[in-house]
Amino acid sequence: MPSRHSKTALGVAISLLLPVSVSLAQQGDRKDKSRTQQADPIPADQIPPSPYLDAAAATKAFKIADGYVIEPIATGKDVDMAVALAFDANGRAWTAEMRSYMPNLDGTGEDTPNGRIRVLEDTNGDGKMDKATTFLDGLVLPRAVAVTSDGCLYTSGDTLYFTKRDGLKPTGKPIVVDKGYALGGNPEHKGNGLLYGHDNWYYNAKSNRRYRRINGQWVRQSTDMRGQWGITKDNNGRLFHNSNSILLVGDQFVPDFFQGNPGYSPRKMPTQRLGSNAVHPIRITPGVNRAYRKGTLDKEGKLANATAACGVHIYRGDNFPKEMQGMGFVCEPGGELVKAVKIKRDQWNKPTGSHPYGEKEFLATTDEWFLPCNIYTAPDGTMWIVDMYFGLLQHRAYLTTYLRKQYASRGLDKPKPSTGRIYRVRYSKNAVAKTPKLDGLKAAELVNYLAHPNGTVRDTAQRLIVESGDQSITLD
């Protein structure tokens, strides 16, 4: 049944997500002088079909960098249109399921409060999620989730909530942390992320706000506006983000670095674009919104540059080879691929990026349903990719007549009743680490995990220590 706060979230969302007519669904046409300019760049008889594949078949369609293995660890009914996740103290994955995103080509019904926060766990230690527990339902397009030792931080509609918990059961009424967390825009341009920073603040993409709980109360502060969909950090706490057409952007310094000097206010945030925006799909890609425009596709009919970049991540685990520590990874569902970006910094801390695989990608597929939207370093040292596995990448707010025709012609608007995958990427020559169980440990016991080789484990240990309020380990 709907959760107790779904009516509030729904009320906020309705004004933004009212059903539209078929004629208005092609709002993207307004950026072109006429629909007649939207000529098909590739003849229909030259476009391969796009069948909906089960997890086994979809996995076989991938091409991945030498030495790596990609395998599904959660599929179907256990991960229905998940877009984001967070790991708790015992390595369970708390997922945000945006189940009402683009129910059809017109986007009608997107305000349906059927989103969920679910908890996935591996109960037998075989590396696959075999149990799913619904923590909350009745949410409107939840896009982000974070877990604390005593509750869960999440979005529903335009609002950021916190709900306390007893284990995997919610307790009490939802607390409104920020009713204006994601006002305006559409799902492609709303706040998301909830990344736990080195400074104990939660940072967000498409947002200039950060959040922290101090003395039991959630506090909001202004910060620099960053990115569009997805946000991540490196081992030094510096943030990375992007936009749909820019693969990766890196901050030069840790967040709010200049706030320590009240006499200096930079004109703009010191950030750098890292590497080019070129991509190299292994399938022709006529199904991107403005493929008819010159230069969008290359001579082979493949996406030339990023158009739907999202889900950035800096790998901080201990399964990949040592040289992969700090490697950037970016989802590009428009090209059905995940790009790797090697990051370097000069003596002034200015970052630069290059593409270690040249004109090949770290991961690519011929499966047009592949919709990677977020990436994480897992507590076992591997890398997880959240795949919405959904045919309608483009939201109706920007959908052109051309793309509507592309989607319909290959049945990309006809998903199965339950859709979504989470993949694990591991390096085949290295063992997968055992996920540490940190729940219930005292602060003095958690201190040792601050030196763990896995950044996700270190972050979790830090968070638990801070949340405990235990002052016994404070150094003089």
Side-chain angles (χ1 to χ4, degrees):
M1 60 184 294
S3 63
R4 283 164 286 183
H5 60 282
S6 63
K7 290 183 179 179
T8 303
L10 179 58
V12 176
I14 284 177
S15 64
L16 298 172
L17 298 173
L18 287 173
V20 294
S21 67
V22 172
S23 62
L24 289 179
Q26 283 61 252
Q27 296 178 66
D29 288 342
R30 292 181 296 181
K31 294 184 178 182
D32 293 292
K33 293 181 179 179
S34 73
R35 296 181 185 180
T36 59
Q37 294 180 342
Q38 299 181 20
D40 293 346
I42 302 173
D45 60 0
Q46 295 181 20
I47 302 174
S50 297
Y52 188 97
L53 304 178
D54 61 26
T59 303
K60 292 179 180 178
F62 286 118
K63 286 188 177 180
I64 194 168
D66 292 344
Y68 293 88
V69 174
I70 182 169
E71 52 204 1
I73 56 171
T75 60
K77 62 181 180 62
D78 290 339
V79 56
D80 189 4
M81 294 184 72
V83 296
L85 63 81
F87 295 104
D88 69 14
N90 283 344
R92 294 174 297 200
W94 294 59
T95 61
E97 295 184 343
M98 209 163 73
R99 300 171 69 208
S100 64
Y101 177 76
M102 287 295 287
N104 48 55
L105 286 167
D106 298 323
T108 52
E110 225 177 32
D111 56 336
T112 302
N114 64 355
R116 298 185 294 204
I117 303 296
R118 285 205 287 177
V119 186
L120 308 181
E121 54 187 311
D122 173 12
T123 62
N124 58 14
D126 67 352
K128 294 185 177 181
M129 303 296 104
D130 53 63
K131 182 179 179 181
T133 302
T134 298
F135 178 73
L136 288 173
D137 61 8
L139 309 182
V140 178
L141 294 171
R143 298 173 306 285
V145 60
V147 60
T148 70
S149 55
D150 65 340
C152 179
L153 193 63
Y154 58 95
T155 66
S156 180
D158 295 336
T159 305
L160 178 63
Y161 292 97
F162 177 74
T163 291
K164 291 188 175 182
R165 65 185 179 95
D166 178 8
L168 301 185
K169 294 182 179 180
T171 60
K173 295 182 179 179
I175 298 168
V176 175
V177 177
D178 186 356
K179 65 180 181 180
Y181 174 81
L183 289 176
N186 57 72
E188 293 185 22
H189 289 275
K190 283 183 175 290
N192 62 91
L194 293 178
L195 171 75
Y196 188 69
H198 275 31
D199 55 7
N200 304 308
W201 289 88
Y202 289 91
Y203 289 89
N204 301 274
K206 200 63 181 181
S207 171
N208 63 350
R209 299 176 180 184
R210 64 179 187 173
Y211 305 86
R212 182 178 178 180
R213 190 161 51 156
I214 301 174
N215 297 325
Q217 301 296 317
W218 285 99
V219 177
R220 183 184 76 198
Q221 274 190 1
S222 296
T223 184
D224 293 304
M225 173 69 76
R226 293 178 174 90
Q228 183 173 339
W229 182 278
I231 188 169
T232 188
K233 66 178 183 178
D234 64 14
N235 283 330
N236 291 295
R238 295 169 297 218
L239 302 183
F240 296 78
H241 37 99
N242 65 3
S243 63
N244 64 307
S245 59
I246 299 177
L247 284 167
L248 187 59
V249 173
D251 287 5
Q252 191 166 351
F253 305 105
V254 295
D256 300 307
F257 176 79
F258 292 108
Q259 284 191 354
N261 182 356
Y264 177 67
S265 179
R267 294 182 178 179
K268 62 179 181 178
M269 181 175 62
T271 61
Q272 298 292 329
R273 191 185 81 178
L274 307 181
S276 77
N277 297 314
V279 293
H280 303 91
I282 60 174
R283 171 195 166 98
I284 61 172
T285 56
V288 294
N289 205 28
R290 304 187 192 280
Y292 50 84
R293 286 185 176 175
K294 185 177 180 180
T296 301
L297 306 184
D298 63 17
K299 294 180 180 179
E300 296 180 348
K302 299 175 181 178
L303 187 65
N305 293 286
T307 188
C310 60
V312 295
H313 183 65
I314 303 299
Y315 177 74
R316 303 171 61 217
D318 53 350
N319 171 259
F320 289 10
K322 185 177 180 179
E323 62 269 20
M324 298 294 282
Q325 184 72 205
M327 183 73 72
F329 291 92
V330 187
C331 300
E332 217 308 349
E336 291 87 49
L337 59 87
V338 172
K339 192 166 195 79
V341 181
K342 186 175 180 61
I343 302 165
K344 292 184 178 181
R345 290 180 183 265
D346 64 17
Q347 65 268 41
W348 296 285
N349 209 37
K350 181 179 177 180
T352 57
S354 60
H355 304 302
Y357 297 100
E359 294 190 357
K360 293 183 179 180
E361 302 296 353
F362 177 79
L363 176 69
T365 182
T366 56
D367 182 4
E368 198 171 6
W369 288 85
F370 182 52
L371 204 166
C373 50
N374 263 311
I375 304 176
Y376 303 88
T377 297
D380 65 2
T382 63
M383 190 171 78
W384 287 18
I385 300 173
V386 179
D387 173 16
M388 204 172 183
Y389 205 74
F390 194 63
L392 304 182
L393 167 62
Q394 190 72 62
H395 187 258
R396 62 177 171 83
Y398 306 111
L399 189 67
T400 58
T401 299
Y402 164 82
L403 187 57
R404 183 186 180 99
K405 177 181 175 182
Q406 287 285 323
Y407 283 157
S409 67
R410 292 190 292 286
L412 293 167
D413 59 332
K414 307 295 182 185
K416 300 293 183 182
S418 183
T419 180
R421 320 270 164 85
I422 298 177
Y423 291 99
R424 180 175 74 172
V425 177
R426 58 181 174 85
Y427 190 63
S428 59
K429 294 182 179 180
N430 294 340
V432 174
K434 185 176 181 180
T435 298
K437 307 297 183 182
L438 305 185
D439 191 24
L441 296 184
K442 296 180 180 179
E445 297 172 304
L446 290 166
V447 168
N448 293 327
Y449 289 95
L450 296 177
H452 196 279
N454 186 325
T456 296
V457 176
R458 295 195 300 272
D459 291 348
T460 302
Q462 174 183 324
R463 175 177 60 78
L464 294 173
I465 291 172
V466 172
E467 290 172 354
S468 74
D470 188 342
Q471 299 294 314
S472 65
I473 60 172
T474 303
L475 297 177
D476 293 331

